[in-house]
Amino acid sequence: MLVHKVDNEVSLRLFNKDDSEEFYDLTINSKAYLKEWLGWLDYTKSIEDTAQNIQSRCNELVENGGYPQSFAIIYNGEIAGTIGFNEINKANKLGVVGYWLGEKFQGKGIMSKAFKAVIDYGFNDLKLNRIEVRIAVENKKSRALPERFGFKKEGEIRQAEWLYDHYVDHVIYGVLAIEWK
């Protein structure tokens, strides 16, 4: 799955080193918007930081036996965000999905399409049994996505993440392979 065309506007593809500047610009231009829920943004200070992140993503391909773990979300030829498995536990056939979309790409249905494609990929190609999403309790916009796709709310983890100057609790959503349609 080097490129997966979701529809005429949206596709998922592997990141490559040539994406560094575009992905960095997307991150920085959306920083104020994303910072409410993403705690790593202050660590992205240069195109080189983004290039290292992309190289780590490329290394995952080898570690996963040729199966990518994360993707660039492409909307009409532009990188709009990213989605993938932050964690894959092969022994338990469990994947934990993470995602974000640049501010100017919000409200177009892009993430819904990408999310469904990644969940399908997790169950069909990676042969996972369970997929989780962990989201800050107050992040209602991101929480709507797994809820829309039939994930079950399974509980909360108190003070699960440090966001710059405070902790946030997380909600855990899960879906099993036998439940996915």
Side-chain angles (χ1 to χ4, degrees):
M1 184 169 150
L2 299 177
V3 175
H4 174 71
K5 186 175 179 177
V6 177
D7 65 16
N8 288 332
E9 297 176 321
V10 178
S11 61
L12 304 178
R13 72 160 169 78
L14 297 177
F15 279 96
N16 64 67
K17 63 182 180 179
D18 295 334
D19 292 329
S20 299
E21 187 172 346
E22 183 180 359
F23 194 48
Y24 173 77
D25 289 345
L26 175 68
T27 303
I28 295 308
N29 291 335
S30 299
K31 186 174 180 176
Y33 173 77
L34 296 171
K35 198 168 182 177
E36 183 176 8
W37 301 115
L38 299 177
W40 51 264
L41 288 158
D42 284 349
Y43 299 106
T44 303
K45 297 178 180 173
S46 68
I47 293 172
E48 290 76 29
D49 293 336
T50 302
Q52 287 177 355
N53 176 275
I54 288 172
Q55 184 59 51
S56 295
R57 292 167 185 253
C58 292
N59 293 343
E60 293 167 350
L61 188 62
V62 174
E63 295 167 11
N64 289 316
Y67 288 95
Q69 192 167 321
S70 60
F71 306 93
I73 301 170
I74 308 300
Y75 178 72
N76 290 330
E78 290 184 77
I79 297 175
T82 184
I83 190 166
F85 292 94
N86 292 337
E87 175 186 336
I88 295 177
N89 180 319
K90 292 178 185 176
N92 294 308
K93 297 184 178 186
L94 164 71
V96 180
V97 173
Y99 47 86
W100 66 265
L101 204 57
E103 184 174 17
K104 76 177 190 175
F105 296 100
Q106 298 288 321
K108 301 176 188 303
I110 298 167
M111 190 56 78
S112 291
K113 295 172 186 178
F115 186 82
K116 182 183 182 312
V118 165
I119 304 306
D120 285 342
Y121 169 71
F123 288 132
N124 298 329
D125 296 289
L126 299 179
K127 305 299 182 202
L128 298 175
N129 178 60
R130 175 183 169 78
I131 296 176
E132 292 180 359
V133 182
R134 300 172 185 188
I135 305 166
V137 170
E138 297 299 319
N139 189 346
K140 294 183 185 349
K141 195 170 191 177
S142 283
R143 287 182 59 183
L145 196 55
E147 290 172 359
R148 188 174 328 128
F149 282 95
F151 280 59
K152 292 183 176 22
K153 180 181 173 187
E154 297 180 338
E156 293 185 15
I157 303 171
R158 297 177 299 144
Q159 296 187 357
E161 182 179 18
W162 178 255
L163 284 180
Y164 306 102
D165 62 356
H166 66 286
Y167 283 101
V168 294
D169 298 346
H170 278 188
V171 176
I172 297 177
Y173 292 95
V175 67
L176 303 176
I178 61 172
E179 298 168 333
W180 186 248
K181 300 171 184 124

